[in-house]
Amino acid sequence: MDGSTEDQKVSRKKRKKSKNRETKVILKFDDSKRAEFLTGFRKRKNERKEKAKKENERLLKEARAKVKQKNRDEKRKKLETIMENFERLKNSGEDDLTKFESEKQVFEDENTTVTVAAIDI
């Protein structure tokens, strides 16, 4: 019995299946494109690096522009508040110069004279 099962296994291995030539897929390679693919790894890697570098530079430039714009806006707001305060004081009708003169303190020394006054801004 053991001999017959071994013969069946061997006969299965020896049998060849017929080739299906009708539905078989045939691949043809273009040698120049194949060579470009195989040798182009470094080139594609460098292209990716360059693209990432340009993207980072663009993002950095945008960030700098945002910071500059933010600083400009803050300075503009500060100037507007100063101008509003100035207009308000100008229109209030008080003579701030006389108010300033009345509230100042003068300290004199041998070589220097210092005037201290409170200013409301």
Side-chain angles (χ1 to χ4, degrees):
M1 282 191 168
D2 290 330
S4 64
T5 57
E6 287 181 26
D7 291 336
Q8 288 175 353
K9 288 181 182 177
V10 171
S11 64
R12 286 183 193 163
K13 288 181 182 178
K14 289 183 181 178
R15 263 190 261 155
K16 291 185 178 180
K17 293 185 178 180
S18 62
K19 294 183 180 179
N20 186 357
R21 298 189 193 284
E22 296 165 356
T23 60
K24 194 171 190 178
V25 177
I26 299 173
L27 297 176
K28 293 184 181 180
F29 290 101
D30 183 7
D31 289 334
S32 63
K33 288 184 180 179
R34 182 177 180 272
E36 175 65 29
F37 174 75
L38 294 175
T39 60
F41 290 111
R42 177 184 285 169
K43 179 181 175 183
R44 289 189 296 274
K45 180 180 175 184
N46 289 339
E47 287 174 354
R48 286 191 305 270
K49 279 185 180 180
E50 190 66 29
K51 182 180 178 184
K53 185 177 178 182
K54 286 181 181 179
E55 179 67 17
N56 286 338
E57 288 175 356
R58 184 186 63 81
L59 292 175
L60 184 61
K61 188 176 181 181
E62 288 178 2
R64 285 181 184 152
K66 285 181 182 179
V67 168
K68 284 182 180 181
Q69 185 63 39
K70 181 181 174 185
N71 288 339
R72 277 190 224 121
D73 291 342
E74 288 176 0
K75 287 179 183 178
R76 187 177 297 123
K77 286 180 184 179
K78 194 179 230 184
L79 179 63
E80 287 174 359
T81 56
I82 290 171
M83 292 304 292
E84 287 173 4
N85 289 338
F86 177 74
E87 289 295 324
R88 185 171 37 88
L89 290 173
K90 183 179 170 185
N91 294 334
S92 68
E94 292 182 11
D95 188 8
D96 289 332
L97 189 57
T98 57
K99 185 178 177 183
F100 172 75
E101 291 290 330
S102 65
E103 294 179 3
K104 73 178 183 179
Q105 296 176 351
V106 178
F107 298 101
E108 293 184 14
D109 194 6
E110 297 171 357
N111 299 329
T112 59
T113 302
V114 178
T115 304
V116 179
I119 301 174
D120 293 330
I121 296 179

